[in-house]
Amino acid sequence: MEKPGGGGVLSAKEAFEKLEKVGEGTYGKVYRAREKATGKIVALKKTRLHEDEEGVPPTTLREVSILRMLSRDPHVVRLMDVKQGQNKEGKTVLYLVFEYMDTDLKKFIRSFRQTGQTVPPQTIKSLMYQLCKGVAFCHGHGILHRDLKPHNLLMDPKTMMLKIADLGLARAFTVPIKKYTHEILTLWYRAPEVLLGATHYSMAVDIWSVGCIFAELVTKQALFPGDSELQQLLHIFRLLGTPNEDVWPGVSKLMNWHEYPQWNPQSLSTAVPSLDELGLDLLSQMLKYEPSKRISAKKAMEHAYFDDLDKRHL
Amino acid sequence: MADFQTSTHRAKWIFSPQQLVEKYRAANQRAKQILEKCGATLMEVDVNGSLSYPEPHMTAKDSAEKHYRTKPLSIEEEQCIKVFYENKLQEVYNNFRFPHKIQATALIYFKRFYLQWSVMEHQPKHIMLTCVYAACKIEENHVSAEELGKGISQDHQMILNNEMIVYQSLEFDLIVYAPYRSVEGFINDVEVCLVGPDAAVKLCLGDLLVMGSNPETASLHMQGNSVMLVMTSLKCSRLCKRQQDLKLIK
């Protein structure tokens, strides 16, 4: 980063050699690149500036400032630098320089689905523990991720190390928790309070997403694959039962509440049959309707499901 | 609440009074050297955010007329200019009726920026407005650069041009802490206790944020809550004094 009075700070073009495009985000492309000085492989996330005459996109700013706080944790992707450069049209672009990770949880699950294999239970346990640990770290620093999904969980398949990435929708939360936009989060992992229009929400939205990811690791299929907000709610209600004031006080006062078809709750084992009893207990605590009753990430780490896991290197 | 104890704010942006003096001196010294060398200090900020110092143009004639040149500012003069613009920032905040958090964040950005640079290198008016714009973005109260520029009759392009240099100078540590909310509640309680709801004496949170006991440095060498405690106790002692004076008059 440019320092006052500093001479030549290398631009992204001078400092890195792009190797290949590995993805595309909301604000630009992601490249695998080599740092010329060290030969180290990094991920370059390119962000266009002055796109709508508003300078650096707020999502990029939020991601950078949050990662400046969180990047010390082994389960949050490390932001190494921020570089400025110019594209072919001479427009200013910003490059976020991240440590490079080989794959993500979405690809990891897909590889098992394609070969017809199941993800080993101890691997699921290890990945879930790391996810809970990373989320607990974010929450402990007052950061909600708001967009947890397999695609945003980077992995090293050799070491089975998992890291939380893509904090473009994350935000620091304050007390009391104020009105937040509910136009966030990929539908399949979206908590029911968000779908029902709650604008006051907190860490529990991330825990719901973690629960959905847990089930998906076991079954290799999305737990609630809705294609609209209504369909998403109906998927949830079919499995967990249609909520009411008894199980979730205040639900009928939420903005998007209507009279929904009445379903009785099913046992979670019908949706996730191969998960053991302790796993089902943890999952049920992550998928509680009432947000305040949902287990915290910190408490989840202490759950008996993780008792037989060797946590020394996690 | 986001954890102050483990934040970049606490780890990197709280300094001893001595460290602050050194930082101000270093920035001032650098600007003076540029003035010697180039005859001007104001940095050019390009549309893409890149920086350049003025081109050196020291001819024999220039050297001969050196003593007619612009005199550099002293550290004390720089501090006065900074405080002036910190108060100006409050006016912008009042015009737009921004939440207190915007004002507090913008102010901290402004103070931090001038830990790295001298006011001779970057125009404080431009930086102050860019800090407000950045604070609006980071605190999710987004106002367009054009709207901000129009509201104070300034060219919004200047705000956009300075945006990157502000972020880089802040090292992208944009999550900051200011105990404005708890202090506001405390002030309300104090007002009611000391002077009753109809009294003319009003404690201004903006004054607390900007001035304090040591306007230039308070938020940089004390933790937010300590700053507020010191400032509020100062204000309260003045209020108590005023109360006693009023009683004596009666």
Side-chain angles (χ1 to χ4, degrees), chain A residues 54 56 68 84 92 171, chain B residues 12 48 133 137 140 181:
Chain A
E54 284 308 327
V56 184
R68 295 287 293 162
Q84 210 168 320
T92 305
R171 63 162 295 146
Chain B
K12 291 170 58 184
N48 70 359
Y133 179 64
K137 269 190 189 179
E140 297 197 351
R181 190 184 277 119

Side-chain angles (χ1 to χ4, degrees), chain A residues 1-6 49-50 53-58 61-62 64-66 68-69 72 82 84-86 90 92 94 139-143 146 169-176 178 180-181, chain B residues 1-3 6-8 12 30 47-51 53 101 116-117 133-134 137-140 142-146 156-157 160-161 163-165 167-169 171-175 177 180-181:
Chain A
M1 288 178 210
E2 200 155 343
K3 277 276 175 283
L49 305 193
H50 296 291
E53 277 307 302
E54 284 308 327
V56 184
L61 274 187
R62 214 172 296 137
V64 174
S65 55
I66 284 169
R68 295 287 293 162
M69 286 219 302
R72 291 159 298 147
V82 180
Q84 210 168 320
Q86 285 187 313
T92 305
L94 202 62
H139 290 175
H141 284 71
I143 303 296
R146 304 199 296 182
L169 276 175
R171 63 162 295 146
F173 57 83
T174 50
V175 179
K178 61 177 186 183
Y180 294 156
T181 170
Chain B
M1 182 66 185
D3 187 6
T6 53
S7 66
T8 49
K12 291 170 58 184
R30 185 180 62 241
V47 183
N48 70 359
S50 57
L51 294 172
Y53 279 108
K101 183 145 191 160
Q116 322 281 3
W117 300 99
Y133 179 64
K137 269 190 189 179
I138 210 76
E139 298 299 351
E140 297 197 351
H142 191 42
V143 173
S144 75
E146 196 170 354
H156 75 282
Q157 196 56 52
L160 292 172
N161 288 2
E163 193 185 11
M164 269 307 292
I165 180 59
Y167 296 143
Q168 285 175 329
S169 302
E171 294 176 29
F172 286 91
D173 293 326
L174 303 175
I175 295 172
Y177 297 77
Y180 57 92
R181 190 184 277 119

Side-chain angles (χ1 to χ4, degrees), chain A residues 126-164:
Chain A
S126 168
L127 291 171
M128 281 308 300
Y129 186 80
Q130 291 178 71
L131 177 54
C132 289
K133 195 176 173 198
V135 171
F137 183 78
C138 292
H139 290 175
H141 284 71
I143 303 296
L144 303 182
H145 188 288
R146 304 199 296 182
D147 196 20
L148 287 171
K149 55 185 176 183
H151 182 56
N152 287 344
L153 301 172
L154 303 181
M155 274 186 70
D156 180 340
K158 293 187 196 79
T159 61
M160 283 295 154
M161 185 76 154
L162 177 138
K163 290 177 188 254
I164 295 169

Side-chain angles (χ1 to χ4, degrees), chain A residues 271-314:
Chain A
V272 196
S274 57
L275 190 57
D276 64 31
E277 210 172 312
L278 286 170
L280 286 167
D281 180 70
L282 175 57
L283 182 60
S284 70
Q285 292 191 54
M286 288 175 167
L287 297 179
K288 285 255 189 286
Y289 269 130
E290 196 179 346
S292 62
K293 295 275 195 297
R294 235 168 267 159
I295 194 168
S296 71
K298 199 162 182 286
K299 275 271 183 285
M301 288 169 68
E302 295 161 12
H303 193 277
Y305 172 68
F306 296 117
D307 282 356
D308 65 343
L309 183 68
D310 181 4
K311 305 179 183 83
R312 281 174 303 179
H313 305 297
L314 298 178

Side-chain angles (χ1 to χ4, degrees), chain B residues 10-239:
Chain B
R10 184 173 185 266
K12 291 170 58 184
W13 294 99
I14 290 182
F15 305 95
S16 69
Q18 187 51 43
Q19 286 172 312
L20 285 174
V21 170
E22 283 162 18
K23 280 182 172 290
Y24 293 137
R25 191 182 292 131
N28 181 266
Q29 204 55 46
R30 185 180 62 241
K32 282 177 178 171
Q33 284 165 1
I34 298 295
L35 186 63
E36 281 285 303
K37 191 171 143 194
C38 308
T41 57
L42 211 55
M43 296 190 79
E44 290 292 315
V45 183
D46 203 352
V47 183
N48 70 359
S50 57
L51 294 172
S52 53
Y53 279 108
E55 286 295 310
H57 52 254
M58 287 293 283
T59 63
K61 188 169 177 279
D62 286 332
S63 301
E65 291 171 2
K66 203 169 173 182
H67 59 285
Y68 292 123
R69 286 257 191 93
T70 313
K71 291 272 191 291
L73 296 172
S74 68
I75 296 172
E76 291 71 26
E77 287 166 331
E78 284 205 48
Q79 298 295 23
C80 289
I81 291 170
K82 281 183 252 182
V83 171
F84 174 80
Y85 280 102
E86 284 170 12
N87 283 294
K88 277 284 174 208
L89 192 145
Q90 231 185 299
E91 286 175 30
V92 174
Y93 153 83
N94 289 331
N95 288 349
F96 281 89
R97 292 190 168 80
F98 288 138
H100 283 314
K101 183 145 191 160
I102 304 292
Q103 183 195 9
T105 301
L107 196 66
I108 291 170
Y109 289 174
F110 184 82
K111 285 176 185 288
R112 285 184 185 181
F113 183 89
Y114 283 110
L115 280 180
Q116 322 281 3
W117 300 99
S118 160
V119 296
M120 294 182 270
E121 293 170 306
H122 291 280
Q123 280 207 15
K125 180 170 79 174
H126 296 173
I127 298 304
M128 178 261 289
L129 295 174
T130 308
C131 288
V132 172
Y133 179 64
C136 287
K137 269 190 189 179
I138 210 76
E139 298 299 351
E140 297 197 351
N141 197 82
H142 191 42
V143 173
S144 75
E146 196 170 354
E147 204 181 325
L148 190 60
K150 264 190 197 143
I152 42 182
S153 314
Q154 296 294 323
D155 175 20
H156 75 282
Q157 196 56 52
M158 162 274 293
I159 295 173
L160 292 172
N161 288 2
N162 280 294
E163 193 185 11
M164 269 307 292
I165 180 59
V166 167
Y167 296 143
Q168 285 175 329
S169 302
L170 302 176
E171 294 176 29
F172 286 91
D173 293 326
L174 303 175
I175 295 172
V176 298
Y177 297 77
Y180 57 92
R181 190 184 277 119
S182 45
V183 170
E184 234 178 341
F186 180 52
I187 287 169
N188 291 341
D189 291 348
V190 168
E191 281 178 350
V192 172
C193 291
L194 290 179
V195 290
D198 305 320
V201 181
K202 275 281 170 215
L203 278 170
C204 175
L205 184 66
D207 290 347
L208 291 178
L209 284 167
V210 176
M211 301 309 290
S213 53
N214 183 347
E216 302 84 40
T217 61
S219 68
L220 296 168
H221 69 73
M222 293 162 82
Q223 294 184 10
N225 47 2
S226 318
V227 177
M228 286 305 187
L229 209 54
V230 170
M231 294 177 184
T232 312
S233 58
L234 274 167
K235 279 275 186 184
C236 290
S237 60
R238 283 180 209 143
L239 266 180

